[in-house]
Amino acid sequence: MIIRKLFKFENAHVVRGCSTQRCRASIHGHSYKVEVLFESKYLDHGQMVYDFGLMKQGMKELIDSFDHAVAIWDGDDGEYIEAMKAHSNRWVMLPVSPSCEQFSRVIFLMLDQLLQSTQMINGERGVKLNSIIVHETETGYAQAFSEDAYSDVMGNIPLASIGFSDEVRQGWSDSGLWEKVLSGEKFLNPATV
């Protein structure tokens, strides 16, 4: 069975190297919708694949990190990077260009790492991330599956090279959330919902 949870965020970016002049040469924004799809062949003690309420913790906080932020590719021009950091309190540094496709891969990797570090305590079994769908516009989206997120052909995305501004971190219930995700520290599910 597959379940789906929808998240939303507003974000600005420049997608260098794309075909469209407006997108590759001017900072612009989108109202993103992110669909998180989980799957399992089993149901927990509440007869659910995965309680939607559990997604309001770390998963929502990580996705919300992109809200009202500038997504910056660490391979962009140094002056541009420094200007974005100087003029925006909320930014996310990515090791890939912030295209819709790469957003879906990055978010997949972030949430997959968090899910793998989660200790289930309500009878959840076999829960895995099926895919991430990122809607950049009403008519266009990218969907990443595990084979896309972990694809060397599409480019390796080292999670440790993703960085968040101080203001983004201050919005988390635990300012060390990202370091805990990276280290594989166990998260108890549910902590308190």
Side-chain angles (χ1 to χ4, degrees), residues 10-57:
E10 307 292 328
N11 189 271
H13 68 175
V14 174
V15 183
R16 305 291 186 204
C18 75
S19 300
T20 309
Q21 173 68 20
R22 286 182 179 182
C23 293
R24 73 173 178 251
S26 298
I27 190 166
H28 61 283
H30 297 281
S31 297
Y32 289 92
K33 293 179 185 172
V34 178
E35 296 181 58
V36 179
L37 290 88
F38 288 101
E39 66 178 273
S40 180
K41 296 179 181 173
Y42 306 96
L43 299 177
D44 67 10
H45 298 317
Q47 299 184 19
M48 302 174 183
V49 167
Y50 194 78
D51 190 325
F52 289 128
L54 300 177
M55 296 180 208
K56 293 178 183 175
Q57 298 175 61

Side-chain angles (χ1 to χ4, degrees), residues 53 81 162:
I81 292 172
I162 297 172

Side-chain angles (χ1 to χ4, degrees), residues 94-140:
L94 299 173
V96 292
S97 183
S99 66
C100 186
E101 291 82 352
Q102 294 291 35
F103 267 145
S104 66
R105 294 179 69 222
V106 164
I107 293 170
F108 186 104
L109 292 169
M110 292 169 63
L111 299 190
D112 194 40
Q113 178 66 31
L114 179 60
L115 184 66
Q116 290 177 36
S117 300
T118 300
Q119 180 181 343
M120 308 292 182
I121 62 169
N122 195 37
E124 299 93 345
R125 293 186 294 155
V127 178
K128 67 179 190 175
L129 192 54
N130 170 278
S131 61
I132 297 290
I133 300 173
V134 175
H135 297 260
E136 188 172 88
T137 65
E138 285 296 314
T139 60

Side-chain angles (χ1 to χ4, degrees), residues 57-89:
Q57 298 175 61
M59 290 182 192
K60 181 181 186 312
E61 289 182 327
L62 288 175
I63 293 171
D64 192 56
S65 298
F66 294 93
D67 188 46
H68 285 77
V70 178
I72 307 167
W73 173 36
D74 66 9
D76 210 321
D77 177 77
E79 287 183 39
Y80 170 78
I81 292 172
E82 290 311 311
M84 291 299 100
K85 287 181 173 183
H87 296 285
S88 180
N89 290 337

Side-chain angles (χ1 to χ4, degrees), residues 162-177:
I162 297 172
F164 302 94
S165 70
D166 289 339
E167 186 161 314
V168 167
R169 290 173 170 276
Q170 290 167 7
W172 298 337
S173 58
D174 177 350
S175 62
L177 171 65

